[in-house]
Amino acid sequence: MDLRPAIAAVASDLLRYRARHDGGYWNTTGASRLVLVSGLAPLMRADGCRALAHGCVGGGNDQRRFARYGVQVAPELPVIEPWTNPQALERFPGRKAMLEAVVEHGLPLDPGSGAERSTDGNLAGVSHESAELEDLETPVTRLDPRWSRWPEQAPAEPETVTVVFRDGRVTDVNGSGPDPVEWMARANEIGARNGVWLRDVVERRIIGTVCRGVYEAPGLELLDRAWTRILQAGLDAEGRELYARLGAVLGAAMYEARWLDPAAHAARDAIDRLVGEIGGTVTLSVHRGVVRVERTRVAGRVVQQTRFGSGGNRWSQEAAVWTRKEDSDA
């Protein structure tokens, strides 16, 4: 089932609401659990399914996410969690027993089943975890990115990117058009080849532990630089402070599978009131991991600048003249 439009729409929300977790992680994995349950539940109902099963490791973030969204989106489909089932754990206490069962029954074996790592990817981003990366002394360069180049591998010449926003949402990236699938893919391509992507974080998990993760979200990282400039020009100081607080609430809500809860709905409604009328065009220069704003044309609501463009320069000139006059009189 093609869920790219759904994940692209949620990625647009992650950017609009800046719903990030510890260290700026863009919550692409948590978002995909919402999309999977919401997108697959109608098909499962139509096919007469009586339960929703997943293979997430017991006690992990994703077990909690599937359980919570399952109850909210498809309450009639009980969630089966083999990793928490006593009979399953007795039969399969570890990887060795599972491997033997797969071989015995002639089932296809995923080539990555023996790896001590986990990679989870979707249109919005890729997450990396591994036994090696759990050691905080392991340099992040030990990682093999799925999409992205390291900055030193990026092209020698800068690339220009134009991002258009309307009513607080992206509508075009370098001619992509307004389809979120298209502009998300275009932003990913540009960010990945120019080394814009890395988040190496030690994050607080739902279950109360911490875990190191490395994340690729080249498109969202690129677009956030442009969105930041639009917010700076379109919101006053109080509005930006409120936006930041609400964004933190929504970042935690997406990570903890509370995106459909009333508090998250209220936070999104409040941000919609703040950013629903701002937009514009931002031109970026992207070069070896660095994204720089070249110029900005803001549309909609604009905060009036109040320094040299609005009298500050004249005040300085008058002060200088007055100071010279006092010196002369003396």
Side-chain angles (χ1 to χ4, degrees):
M1 187 174 185
D2 185 0
L3 295 177
R4 287 177 301 171
I7 193 65
V10 174
S12 178
D13 281 348
L14 293 179
L15 181 67
R16 177 182 176 90
Y17 304 118
R18 196 170 274 164
R20 302 178 297 184
H21 191 52
D22 279 0
Y25 162 49
W26 280 101
N27 274 317
T28 58
T29 302
S32 72
R33 300 333 183 213
L34 169 63
V35 169
L36 284 169
V37 176
S38 301
L40 294 177
L43 183 62
M44 295 175 69
R45 292 191 191 99
D47 282 354
C49 294
R50 293 180 295 173
L52 186 156
H54 65 78
C56 298
V57 176
N61 284 339
D62 286 331
Q63 176 194 328
R64 304 289 182 90
R65 290 164 177 157
F66 278 119
R68 191 170 184 86
Y69 286 137
V71 168
Q72 293 178 310
V73 175
E76 78 283 8
L77 297 175
V79 177
I80 298 175
E81 301 167 338
W83 278 86
T84 64
N85 182 284
Q87 290 179 308
L89 290 175
E90 183 178 357
R91 173 70 177 84
F92 303 110
R95 288 178 178 268
K96 184 175 182 294
M98 294 179 187
L99 175 61
E100 291 172 351
V102 169
V103 174
E104 177 185 347
H105 291 83
L107 300 173
L109 182 66
D110 188 321
S113 296
E116 293 185 336
R117 58 178 172 79
S118 172
T119 301
D120 191 286
N122 58 67
L123 182 65
V126 182
S127 66
H128 301 269
E129 296 176 358
S130 72
E132 184 179 31
L133 287 173
E134 285 181 359
D135 183 352
L136 298 184
E137 293 190 10
T138 300
V140 72
T141 49
R142 295 280 294 175
L143 175 76
D144 183 17
R146 177 180 289 193
W147 292 346
S148 308
R149 296 178 181 177
W150 295 99
E152 62 270 19
Q153 299 169 335
E157 296 300 319
E159 182 171 355
T160 299
V161 185
T162 301
V163 184
V164 181
F165 296 89
R166 183 175 296 115
D167 298 331
R169 291 195 183 273
V170 176
T171 58
D172 188 87
V173 177
N174 269 15
S176 66
D179 183 348
V181 173
E182 295 300 325
W183 60 251
M184 189 76 252
R186 183 71 55 85
N188 279 335
E189 292 169 4
I190 296 169
R193 69 168 166 260
N194 287 285
V196 180
W197 61 277
L198 178 66
R199 290 281 173 174
D200 176 10
V201 303
V202 179
E203 66 196 54
R204 296 164 294 171
R205 297 168 68 87
I206 297 174
I207 58 175
T209 62
V210 295
C211 180
R212 183 189 188 186
V214 180
Y215 300 97
E216 295 180 69
L220 289 171
E221 293 287 347
L222 178 74
L223 296 172
D224 184 59
R225 189 68 187 86
W227 180 230
T228 297
R229 179 52 57 92
I230 293 294
L231 291 173
Q232 290 170 341
L235 295 181
D236 57 18
E238 291 78 10
R240 286 172 62 184
E241 181 180 357
L242 178 58
Y243 176 90
R245 292 183 179 182
L246 294 170
V249 169
L250 288 170
M254 182 59 85
Y255 189 84
E256 298 171 6
R258 294 186 287 102
W259 193 253
L260 301 180
D261 289 8
H265 278 293
R268 292 198 295 276
D269 288 345
I271 287 183
D272 288 342
R273 291 178 66 88
L274 285 173
V275 305
E277 297 179 0
I278 63 175
T281 301
V282 181
T283 301
L284 305 170
S285 175
V286 190
H287 185 227
R288 292 189 167 175
V290 176
V291 183
R292 185 177 68 250
V293 176
E294 291 287 334
R295 55 187 178 275
T296 306
R297 184 173 67 253
V298 182
R301 185 173 68 246
V302 182
V303 175
Q304 178 64 44
Q305 299 183 57
T306 57
R307 189 161 162 73
F308 291 103
S310 303
N313 58 332
R314 293 191 295 276
W315 181 89
S316 298
Q317 291 168 358
E318 292 168 359
V321 170
W322 184 256
T323 300
R324 288 195 299 271
K325 183 178 185 298
E326 286 185 328
D327 291 342
S328 176
D329 291 343

